[in-house]
Amino acid sequence: MQEKEIYQKLLRNMTLVRQNISELTTLLNTLSATLPSALEVNGTFPNLQELKDFNNNLTIYNQTVSREIIPEIKSKII
Amino acid sequence: MAIFNLNFKKIRENVNAFNKDINKYKNTISMLHGTLVNVDTTWNDVNTLSFISGVKQDYRSFSAHLDSISKYVLLINSFCENIQLVISRQFGVNRIDYLKYSSTTLNTCISKLDQIYNLLNNTINLFYNIAIPVDFRYRKKLESYRSNFYNMKESISLLRKKLLRINNDIVAVINDYKLRVNKIDFVNIDKKKMNYRWRTQRVQLRKNIKNDLQTSSRVQENFSNETSRSMSASVNISPQQAIEKSDAIEILDVENPEVFSVTNQDAQTEFLNIKDENFVLDEIGDLSINSHDKFLSAQGINITAGMKEKVSNPTEKLNLKTELGEYEIPKEEVSNSKHNDIEFLE
């Protein structure tokens, strides 16, 4: 496989990763909001902070993929 | 579907308070029972024995009732402890004071976790399906992302398992509770007021008999104009009932041999003092009211009262004999007062 093709495939995958991350962010947000209603122990859901950390990381990944990685891949294809 | 909103802190406090109270109650009624068993039944009066028997019967049903309640409290406490155990086991929380739980919402969350898990899996595959060129500037970053997504997927999977176990375990705890609660044979008690008296005539002894008898104005006799009658009665009562809190003593039947029933107004206080018999004996001493054959006396822990006489002259004098002296009181002076501490009522 030529390098250009590899980058084209990488671009497709990263585009899908970006979509997945957006969807994951939405799901995690919903989950973080719903879980305390399902199970609240001593005033909070025990793993809530962990889920919020996931969400923060995903936001950073999304920004990096959109602003840095995808433009870099595109530059390799041209 | 189960929904809880449990304040374990408050439940723990209430259960502790209940256990404390129930022990106090049990001790109190045991003391009452012990006292009744030892009541002097020298006179063998049928109504006195009936009174004691009634109290003992109530003691038994009340004890059974308390035992039923205790079983319920124990079961509720056990239910709460098991729920806490389920949560602690999954999340490692040592002490749970407050828990809100909704199985329906939790199931919704579990299905969201499923979606997240699948999406993470899909994302990880997107990284694995492509060979990242060695000289790509973000190669290491992408590898790091892939690893982070993998860890995230594991955490989500773990959380999903925890929540599933919690749901299953809570259902098991609820089923166990249902099974056990149905096995409790609850003994209820009649809500009617406990009442061991019959009625008709009543003698009330108010606070401190000795002092009352020393003052003629406190003695009231309220006989009818009957020309003759014959009555006698006896009752054994606990000392405090007679001297400290005073209670109503009631003569129960005019036609037949009479019995005084005692209505106690502050049982708890009295039971606390009931052990101290020396105090009681000193306080009461021997007291008597004599008017021919009519008498009222208090000796030790026993009070006997009765009237055997012919009342032919409503103006005759009433003799009071106490440790401190003897008194003569014309009957007309001691009748019809509402405020006296000893009264004979028809």
Side-chain angles (χ1 to χ4, degrees):
Chain A
M1 192 183 287
Q2 300 229 339
E3 192 177 276
K4 193 175 174 180
E5 287 176 14
I6 292 172
Y7 279 113
Q8 280 174 338
K9 193 174 179 185
L10 190 59
L11 180 62
R12 275 200 305 276
N13 284 11
M14 285 303 114
T15 309
L16 289 171
V17 165
R18 193 173 59 181
Q19 287 173 6
N20 284 359
I21 288 174
S22 297
E23 204 173 330
L24 278 170
T25 305
T26 308
L27 281 169
L28 279 168
N29 271 333
T30 312
L31 187 66
S32 298
T34 315
L35 267 174
S37 311
L39 190 68
E40 188 180 315
V41 183
N42 293 341
T44 185
F45 179 78
N47 285 60
L48 197 60
Q49 191 53 48
E50 188 184 21
L51 293 175
K52 285 179 178 172
D53 290 344
F54 287 163
N55 228 352
N56 291 337
N57 289 342
L58 287 173
T59 307
I60 294 167
Y61 297 167
N62 205 12
Q63 285 174 355
T64 310
V65 169
S66 300
R67 292 176 192 172
E68 297 176 31
I69 297 175
I70 288 180
E72 178 70 13
I73 295 170
K74 280 179 179 173
S75 73
K76 297 284 184 185
I77 296 170
I78 295 166
Chain B
M1 289 297 161
I3 296 176
F4 304 138
N5 206 343
L6 298 173
N7 188 338
F8 289 121
K9 192 177 179 183
K10 198 74 192 166
I11 289 170
R12 275 194 290 266
E13 284 173 10
N14 287 339
V15 167
N16 287 339
F18 173 82
N19 286 333
K20 211 172 172 182
D21 285 348
I22 203 117
N23 286 335
K24 197 172 162 188
Y25 269 119
K26 280 180 179 173
N27 286 339
T28 302
I29 60 172
S30 292
M31 286 170 73
L32 168 64
H33 187 252
T35 306
L36 286 170
V37 166
N38 293 320
V39 158
D40 185 354
T41 54
T42 306
W43 288 276
N44 289 324
D45 181 271
V46 65
N47 288 331
T48 304
L49 295 176
S50 174
F51 161 74
I52 294 168
S53 167
V55 175
K56 284 179 182 174
Q57 195 175 345
D58 281 341
Y59 158 78
R60 281 192 293 273
S61 63
F62 191 54
S63 295
H65 180 62
L66 288 181
D67 283 343
S68 299
I69 297 171
S70 292
K71 282 178 188 169
Y72 269 108
V73 170
L74 202 65
L75 186 56
I76 289 166
N77 195 40
S78 163
F79 171 79
C80 292
E81 293 292 334
N82 288 336
I83 293 285
Q84 289 178 83
L85 200 63
V86 166
I87 306 296
S88 299
R89 198 185 293 144
Q90 296 305 327
F91 290 114
V93 183
N94 288 330
R95 183 186 171 91
I96 300 171
D97 287 336
Y98 180 77
L99 174 73
K100 194 159 99 177
Y101 165 82
S102 162
S103 63
T104 312
T105 319
L106 200 58
N107 279 327
T108 309
C109 291
I110 289 169
S111 98
K112 285 270 180 250
L113 284 167
D114 282 341
Q115 288 178 49
I116 291 170
Y117 180 87
N118 291 333
L119 207 51
L120 283 168
N121 217 18
N122 179 276
T123 310
I124 291 163
N125 287 337
L126 290 172
F127 283 96
Y128 275 112
N129 287 344
I130 182 76
I132 305 166
V134 180
D135 60 345
F136 184 56
R137 189 178 163 192
Y138 293 102
R139 179 188 165 89
K140 282 201 172 172
K141 187 164 269 185
L142 288 177
E143 283 175 351
S144 158
Y145 283 2
R146 184 174 62 190
S147 170
N148 289 347
F149 278 118
Y150 184 82
N151 292 337
M152 204 183 293
K153 185 184 85 167
E154 293 300 303
S155 295
I156 292 293
S157 171
L158 193 64
L159 181 58
R160 181 183 175 278
K161 278 181 191 166
K162 282 181 184 177
L163 298 185
L164 266 179
R165 280 198 196 120
I166 284 172
N167 252 358
N168 292 336
D169 288 352
I170 284 180
V171 168
V173 172
I174 292 170
N175 287 339
D176 179 59
Y177 173 83
K178 283 179 182 170
L179 201 67
R180 291 165 67 189
V181 80
N182 288 331
K183 286 183 181 170
I184 295 179
D185 184 19
F186 190 79
V187 179
N188 217 334
I189 51 172
D190 291 338
K191 288 181 180 172
K192 68 177 184 185
K193 188 178 175 185
M194 290 185 185
N195 192 348
Y196 309 111
R197 72 176 182 232
W198 287 273
R199 45 177 198 93
T200 54
Q201 286 204 351
R202 185 170 65 187
V203 176
Q204 287 191 336
L205 292 182
R206 296 274 169 91
K207 205 169 185 178
N208 203 327
I209 294 172
K210 187 188 283 184
N211 291 339
D212 293 346
L213 292 177
Q214 287 170 2
T215 310
S216 62
S217 65
R218 290 189 176 184
V219 182
Q220 174 189 13
E221 196 171 43
N222 198 4
F223 290 111
S224 69
N225 290 324
E226 291 175 34
T227 53
S228 73
R229 65 184 159 176
S230 177
M231 301 185 302
S232 68
S234 67
V235 66
N236 301 316
I237 60 172
S238 61
Q240 287 79 7
Q241 284 175 315
I243 57 162
E244 286 301 323
K245 293 297 171 186
S246 95
D247 316 310
I249 296 184
E250 301 191 5
I251 298 176
L252 303 171
D253 190 3
V254 181
E255 301 300 328
N256 299 307
E258 301 292 326
V259 169
F260 292 129
S261 104
V262 180
T263 305
N264 187 330
Q265 296 178 356
D266 192 346
Q268 201 164 11
T269 306
E270 287 166 7
F271 295 147
L272 291 174
N273 292 331
I274 210 161
K275 292 178 190 168
D276 195 349
E277 289 190 8
N278 291 331
F279 167 76
V280 168
L281 290 169
D282 290 340
E283 192 68 20
I284 294 180
D286 293 324
L287 303 169
S288 65
I289 300 174
N290 289 311
S291 174
H292 301 290
D293 290 328
K294 183 162 60 264
F295 66 90
L296 169 67
S297 68
Q299 297 177 342
I301 62 167
N302 300 322
I303 285 182
T304 61
M307 283 176 281
K308 297 175 186 174
E309 64 125 13
K310 291 184 178 180
V311 183
S312 53
N313 179 6
T315 61
E316 69 183 298
K317 291 184 177 179
L318 181 68
N319 293 320
L320 295 182
K321 187 178 179 182
T322 75
E323 284 178 325
L324 301 178
E326 294 186 16
Y327 303 86
E328 284 190 349
I329 310 159
K331 270 188 180 175
E332 57 269 29
E333 288 183 15
V334 297
S335 62
N336 297 327
S337 169
K338 295 285 182 190
H339 304 293
N340 293 326
D341 291 300
I342 298 179
E343 57 185 1
F344 291 74
L345 300 173
E346 276 194 336

